Amino acid sequence: MKIAKDSVVRFHYTVSEVGSEPLETSKDREPLAILIGHGNIIPGLENAMMDKEAGESFGVDVGAAEAYGERRDGLTQRVPKKHFGAQKLSVGQQVVLQTNFGPRAVTIQKIGMSVVDVDLNHPMAGKDLHFDVEVIEVREAKAEELEHGHVHGDGGVEH
């Protein structure tokens, strides 16, 4: 079966900045499972997966615009220190803040007595990425997965 919209794909990946050492890999854990066509991974990688089949391996370069977006200057916010709890903070550190819209990764820019300035750009914003992908399994999505917009079970969401 070829990868298409509304199919479930289990795959291993290794990601790096183009021309650099790997930043992350799934090879030492369960494959990632996603529902194609529902915004569950970056657009450039999802597009590169189309029409591939289980057992295929490929590499693809994904430009920043099709990955985590271009870096936006001035995308900063001042946050009361209490929102970071008791964790020790340092400039350049990446932390996850709980927001009204769910968890958000931010990078600490400046630490004051009672406030912290954070960069809201995704840590990978503005970076061209290279992915090495191994497609493990392709299957049709179940009705419940299509309704929820994500994979259930092995490698997906348990609920």
Side-chain angles (χ1 to χ4, degrees):
M1 175 178 177
K2 290 184 183 272
I3 296 173
K5 185 178 185 319
D6 296 337
S7 60
V8 170
V9 180
R10 292 180 65 235
F11 65 98
H12 277 297
Y13 68 92
T14 300
V15 61
S16 58
E17 280 189 63
V18 172
S20 298
E21 293 297 311
L23 298 167
E24 180 180 282
T25 185
S26 67
K27 297 276 185 181
D28 53 357
R29 59 183 187 268
E30 285 295 311
L32 186 62
I34 58 146
L35 178 59
I36 295 288
H38 293 262
N40 293 309
I41 60 171
I42 60 173
L45 180 56
E46 185 172 78
N47 290 338
M49 294 178 110
M50 293 302 206
D51 295 324
K52 303 285 193 279
E53 297 180 273
E56 283 191 60
S57 294
F58 65 95
V60 62
D61 289 342
V62 178
E66 289 292 307
Y68 293 97
E70 297 296 343
R71 183 162 188 73
R72 294 175 26 206
D73 290 334
L75 194 59
T76 61
Q77 185 171 352
R78 185 161 281 168
V79 179
K81 214 174 200 177
K82 67 182 180 185
H83 291 290
F84 295 89
Q87 65 182 312
K88 184 167 173 50
L89 303 175
S90 61
V91 172
Q93 178 183 6
Q94 292 176 1
V95 297
V96 176
L97 282 179
Q98 296 303 320
T99 72
N100 293 338
F101 305 103
R104 175 133 190 197
V106 300
T107 304
I108 303 211
Q109 288 185 313
K110 184 178 177 185
I111 304 165
M113 292 298 288
S114 61
V115 294
V116 177
D117 291 346
V118 297
D119 181 349
L120 300 172
N121 282 293
H122 188 282
M124 299 297 282
K127 296 182 179 182
D128 296 331
L129 303 175
H130 177 80
F131 288 87
D132 288 310
V133 176
E134 177 188 2
V135 180
I136 305 298
E137 177 188 10
V138 181
R139 67 170 172 80
E140 289 183 25
K142 299 173 186 157
E144 184 180 44
E145 292 171 325
L146 291 172
E147 183 181 322
H148 290 191
H150 57 251
V151 178
H152 291 170
D154 191 23
V157 177
E158 299 289 344
H159 65 95

